[in-house]
Amino acid sequence: MDNILKIGKYELGSRLIVGSGKYKDFQTTKEATLASGSELITVAVRRLNITNPDQENLRDTFAGTNVKFLPNSAGCVTAEEAITTFRLTREATGIDLIKLEVIGDTQKTLYPDVIETIKACEILSKEGFTIMAYTSDDPIMAKRLEDAGAHAIMPLAAPIGSGLGIQNPYNIVFIREAVSVPVIVDAGIGCASDAAYAMELGAAGVLTNTAIAQAQNPMFMAEAMKHAVIAGRMSYLSGRIPKRPYATASSPIDGMIQF
């Protein structure tokens, strides 16, 4: 099985991406991330702490591991804010693999403003960033983001942190069919079976944060997510049997004893 996830010029040995928020401390973040097997953790730029070396820093916590950072533009509500955020981040850290998110509704749904996201994507792609774009589950917008230079499309499964799981599986499939870049299901994952389902739909990967960070046992859930993503990928590649309305006998009837 090909476990390599290719995003632009980057290659990852795990198809699970994790978040860094909502943990009780940085040490728990590290332990859960390592248990998940993920090689990429998304982090709000402010948590990278690129301005004050005297404060606790996630980069120090993960020093010596194979985990890469994926800065995100959480909190940005315009294309201009996101563009400035990533320019400063790259200048300070050298990181050019980014998760672009521009939020349209900051109060209730945290749904993305896809129009502003496309604007930012067009500019950042021209500046050499490798862009993973958080978006709605609209296949038309997904294609426009790819055309704008996105290297991966990240449709939400449900509102961020809701744990509702995949609410519109057909749109995930439609997006996968509409674009040629990897589709990473993002936001709304609640448990390991949600992650497996996303992979069975043909997603190239899954990003989850709250489901692990706020589980009663984050380490167990992180490991469950690891296996779920692998199992879902294997199931998708195996090719499921068609659904039928009636039973089909598993054993042949030829040669049965006649009474």
Side-chain angles (χ1 to χ4, degrees), residues 77-163:
V77 296
T78 66
E80 290 74 16
E81 289 178 359
I83 291 165
T84 300
T85 295
F86 289 127
R87 284 171 175 169
L88 292 172
T89 302
R90 183 168 65 177
E91 182 68 24
T93 67
I95 299 174
D96 64 2
L97 175 62
I98 59 173
K99 182 190 175 191
L100 173 61
E101 49 185 281
V102 182
I103 302 302
D105 176 4
T106 61
Q107 300 300 316
K108 186 176 182 180
T109 65
L110 297 180
Y111 267 39
D113 184 331
V114 185
I115 302 302
E116 289 293 299
T117 304
I118 292 172
K119 290 179 183 178
C121 191
E122 289 174 339
I123 294 173
L124 291 168
S125 64
K126 292 176 182 177
E127 296 183 4
F129 286 90
T130 300
I131 304 166
M132 303 174 67
Y134 169 64
T135 184
S136 63
D137 61 355
D138 182 338
I140 305 302
M141 291 295 103
K143 180 58 179 173
R144 290 188 178 178
L145 277 166
E146 181 185 29
D147 293 342
H151 298 83
I153 305 299
M154 307 184 76
L156 53 81
I160 292 173
S162 67

Side-chain angles (χ1 to χ4, degrees), residues 4-258:
I4 302 299
L5 174 58
K6 298 179 181 179
I7 301 172
K9 63 186 178 182
Y10 293 92
E11 293 188 352
L12 302 169
S14 170
R15 292 179 178 272
L16 175 63
I17 303 169
V18 296
S20 58
K22 302 183 180 180
Y23 286 96
K24 65 178 183 179
D25 52 43
F26 281 1
Q27 184 59 34
T28 305
T29 307
K30 177 181 178 180
E31 291 173 359
T33 301
L34 296 179
S36 76
S38 176
E39 296 181 6
L40 191 63
I41 182 170
T42 186
V43 54
V45 169
R46 64 183 180 276
R47 289 172 63 83
L48 279 175
N49 186 16
I50 60 178
T51 58
N52 188 345
D54 296 325
Q55 292 183 352
E56 189 177 19
N57 193 313
L58 266 178
R59 287 184 292 170
D60 294 334
T61 301
F62 281 88
T65 72
N66 68 337
V67 179
K68 297 180 178 67
F69 287 108
L70 177 66
N72 66 59
S73 50
C76 293
V77 296
T78 66
E80 290 74 16
E81 289 178 359
I83 291 165
T84 300
T85 295
F86 289 127
R87 284 171 175 169
L88 292 172
T89 302
R90 183 168 65 177
E91 182 68 24
T93 67
I95 299 174
D96 64 2
L97 175 62
I98 59 173
K99 182 190 175 191
L100 173 61
E101 49 185 281
V102 182
I103 302 302
D105 176 4
T106 61
Q107 300 300 316
K108 186 176 182 180
T109 65
L110 297 180
Y111 267 39
D113 184 331
V114 185
I115 302 302
E116 289 293 299
T117 304
I118 292 172
K119 290 179 183 178
C121 191
E122 289 174 339
I123 294 173
L124 291 168
S125 64
K126 292 176 182 177
E127 296 183 4
F129 286 90
T130 300
I131 304 166
M132 303 174 67
Y134 169 64
T135 184
S136 63
D137 61 355
D138 182 338
I140 305 302
M141 291 295 103
K143 180 58 179 173
R144 290 188 178 178
L145 277 166
E146 181 185 29
D147 293 342
H151 298 83
I153 305 299
M154 307 184 76
L156 53 81
I160 292 173
S162 67
L164 290 172
I166 298 174
Q167 294 299 293
N168 196 338
Y170 296 104
N171 274 21
I172 301 299
V173 175
F174 295 157
I175 290 172
R176 179 176 58 78
E177 293 173 346
V179 302
S180 59
V181 296
V183 175
I184 314 292
V185 173
D186 180 14
I189 298 295
C191 60
S193 58
D194 292 337
Y197 186 32
M199 299 303 293
E200 286 184 319
L201 291 172
V206 169
L207 189 153
T208 184
N209 181 188
T210 306
I212 297 175
Q214 296 196 332
Q216 294 183 25
N217 189 322
M219 263 56 73
F220 274 17
M221 184 60 78
E223 190 168 357
M225 290 290 184
K226 170 185 176 180
H227 294 301
V229 167
I230 293 172
R233 178 69 175 171
M234 293 179 71
S235 177
Y236 170 71
L237 293 176
S238 299
R240 66 157 293 139
I241 64 171
K243 294 182 179 181
R244 301 183 178 92
Y246 304 108
T248 303
S250 299
S251 301
I253 61 174
D254 296 341
M256 291 184 61
I257 298 174
Q258 299 297 316

